[in-house]
Amino acid sequence: MSKLTGWWRNRSSAGKVELYTRWSFHLFVLLEITSFGLAPVASAAGKSSHVVPLSLFLMLCAHAVLCGTLSSKALDWVVGRGERPTRLAVTTASVTAAACLAVLTLKTTGRIDEPALAPTLVAGLTWFTAGSLVLCMRSVRTMRYVPPVAAAGVSLAVIAVRLPAVQALGYGVGVLLGSLFFGATCGFSAWLLNTVYELDRSREVQARLAVAEERLRFGRDLHDVMGRNLAVIALKSELAVQLARRERPEAVDQMIEVQRIAQESQREVRDVVRGYREADLAVELEGARGVLSAAGMDCRVDFRAGRQLSAEVQSALGWVVREATTNVLRHGDAHRCLIRLTAPQSGSVTLLVENDGAPGTPAGPPGSGLAGLRERLAALDGTLQAGLVGDGRFRLRVEIPDRELHEVEVRV
């Protein structure tokens, strides 16, 4: 069952919307054939010649496939994976105009004797063409011209084949109303698909900007700490060289000062790195709730603390929450997430992060995030378990033993 549903579950939200939209337009091909293409076949019952009905049926089938191909190419252009199918759009419009003119000519010459057959065929040809052409346009200002142009073109064609003006008006109104419906439906589908992909790209850019901002902050702090000290080291080293060349005893004092400044710089770098690597557990829990809720997920944070956790344990768990939140956002399509931290008065501290919408197979090569977390937890004798638990749920479980009880057992 997982293999059958994996093709859907492993897709992102944007990928699911795209797949649904594409298959909807693929079904339009069958809809045009069954709703309009079978009309000539049904009208051929009891007639001696089936050439005209069969020709009209094949023409509708070819037109449906052409509109389906244009819709598929247009969707590729909407999501940015192809060029705008301008030539194919012009070809589709030309074929539709020729097909409508052929149907009206057969109606005038009496080859189509069914009263409703010609209007039905003209409506099917123009409606689906209008929807496909709307997909090839970016702005609503351009899309709104498609229905009236289609209606005016059909009305002029009806008059050109010398049918009554009343029929020309009826054809025009029918084509206008149907083209408005199909154009609005297709235009909204293209806008929705483009918006979903824009949101998906914005979320990815936001994650990259957050990482870049953190790197800039760390680089700025490191520059502030090391810039002045390195300048002083360079200056005193140059002075020590000059004094040594003159065989002055003050050169030793300058080198001792350089050594002291280097040791102080090393200590300050450690402080900067330690501050960068430490994470506040309460801040990370609240941040995870806010970020996941902002992403449209139902995030529940359950914090059961029976004792005060040490700074080392809070820092390690804070990094686990941060990494788990990043994985939930970047992988899968989660709708619900549970973060539960249990810290009883005695015993192990347990952190559980569970979310749905996890893909059955990883989308890319395994990263180093979980490996880094295991290294941090190893210093506290902690363990980390992560993996699928069924029904598209991914569970990350961290357990850190009570080190005070462990030390007592070791001494005993």
Side-chain angles (χ1 to χ4, degrees):
M1 181 62 66
S2 60
K3 293 182 179 179
L4 295 177
T5 60
W7 63 274
W8 172 264
R9 213 173 42 197
N10 295 341
R11 294 176 180 270
S12 62
S13 298
K16 292 177 180 178
V17 173
E18 180 185 356
L19 184 63
Y20 170 78
T21 305
R22 284 186 180 276
W23 276 103
S24 298
F25 285 107
H26 292 337
L27 291 177
F28 274 15
V29 177
L30 297 178
L31 180 63
E32 182 177 356
I33 294 174
T34 55
S35 301
F36 299 95
L38 295 179
V41 178
S43 65
K47 294 183 179 181
S48 58
S49 178
H50 301 290
V51 176
V52 174
L54 182 60
S55 300
L56 293 175
F57 172 73
L58 294 177
M59 181 184 68
L60 262 294
C61 292
H63 181 267
V65 173
L66 184 61
C67 289
T69 305
L70 177 59
S71 299
S72 180
K73 297 291 184 181
L75 289 179
D76 290 338
W77 169 69
V78 169
V79 300
R81 288 200 293 265
E83 298 181 354
R84 180 184 294 185
T86 305
R87 294 183 178 178
L88 186 58
V90 174
T91 302
T92 303
S94 302
V95 170
T96 302
C100 290
L101 189 59
V103 171
L104 294 174
T105 302
L106 292 175
K107 172 68 175 178
T108 305
T109 57
R111 304 296 297 274
I112 297 179
D113 51 2
E114 292 290 336
L117 182 57
T120 300
L121 295 179
V122 171
L125 291 169
T126 52
W127 291 353
F128 286 95
T129 301
S132 301
L133 292 178
V134 164
L135 289 176
C136 303
M137 301 174 183
R138 183 73 72 182
S139 62
V140 179
R141 182 175 300 179
T142 309
M143 296 177 184
R144 64 183 182 181
Y145 292 115
V146 174
V149 168
V154 171
S155 299
L156 292 176
V158 172
I159 296 174
V161 297
R162 298 179 181 181
L163 289 175
V166 177
Q167 293 189 19
L169 180 61
Y171 275 93
V173 173
V175 170
L176 178 63
L177 295 178
S179 299
L180 282 174
F181 174 76
F182 274 81
T185 303
C186 296
F188 177 76
S189 299
W191 171 82
L192 178 63
L193 183 59
N194 183 60
T195 302
V196 170
Y197 267 101
E198 286 291 336
L199 292 176
D200 190 65
R201 286 190 289 265
S202 298
R203 186 170 65 177
E204 185 68 22
V205 170
Q206 185 178 7
R208 294 180 181 178
L209 287 177
V211 174
E213 183 179 358
E214 186 65 17
R215 289 175 178 175
L216 289 175
R217 186 194 69 82
F218 180 72
R220 183 174 60 251
D221 294 344
L222 191 61
H223 176 270
D224 294 340
V225 169
M226 295 297 298
R228 178 184 59 84
N229 292 344
L230 289 176
V232 175
I233 289 175
L235 181 62
K236 287 187 172 294
S237 299
E238 184 179 356
L239 179 58
V241 170
Q242 297 295 333
L243 292 175
R245 289 177 178 175
R246 300 176 185 178
E247 298 182 358
R248 298 283 298 274
E250 292 86 351
V252 177
D253 297 333
Q254 295 296 328
M255 292 306 299
I256 293 176
E257 184 68 13
V258 167
Q259 183 181 14
R260 185 191 65 80
I261 296 175
Q263 293 174 350
E264 182 180 354
S265 300
Q266 188 177 16
R267 179 183 57 80
E268 291 179 350
V269 169
R270 288 200 189 99
D271 293 338
V272 171
V273 174
R274 186 181 302 112
Y276 174 73
R277 297 182 67 180
E278 289 181 353
D280 191 327
L281 180 58
V283 173
E284 294 298 333
L285 288 174
E286 188 62 30
R289 186 208 306 269
V291 169
L292 296 179
S293 299
M297 303 179 196
D298 181 13
C299 180
R300 184 162 63 92
V301 177
D302 189 4
F303 189 8
R304 305 174 184 176
R307 69 176 189 269
Q308 183 68 28
L309 299 178
S310 63
E312 294 179 349
V313 173
Q314 289 196 38
S315 177
L317 294 178
W319 273 102
V320 173
V321 173
R322 181 183 298 183
E323 180 68 22
T325 304
T326 303
N327 291 338
V328 172
L329 288 173
R330 298 186 62 181
H331 306 293
D333 186 19
H335 298 283
R336 290 180 298 274
C337 181
L338 170 64
I339 302 176
R340 177 176 295 163
L341 177 62
T342 306
Q345 293 184 355
S346 60
S348 302
V349 178
T350 304
L351 174 64
L352 178 69
V353 181
E354 183 174 315
N355 63 277
D356 61 352
T361 56
S368 59
L370 296 181
L373 293 179
R374 288 189 173 93
E375 293 178 359
R376 292 177 183 274
L377 295 171
L380 302 174
D381 299 330
T383 58
L384 184 147
Q385 298 176 353
L388 295 172
V389 293
D391 297 333
R393 290 182 296 121
F394 186 87
R395 178 181 298 168
L396 185 147
R397 188 176 185 276
V398 173
E399 184 176 355
I400 300 179
D402 193 336
R403 303 194 71 182
E404 294 181 358
L405 295 178
H406 181 70
E407 291 174 358
V408 170
E409 292 176 358
V410 170
R411 285 198 298 267
V412 173

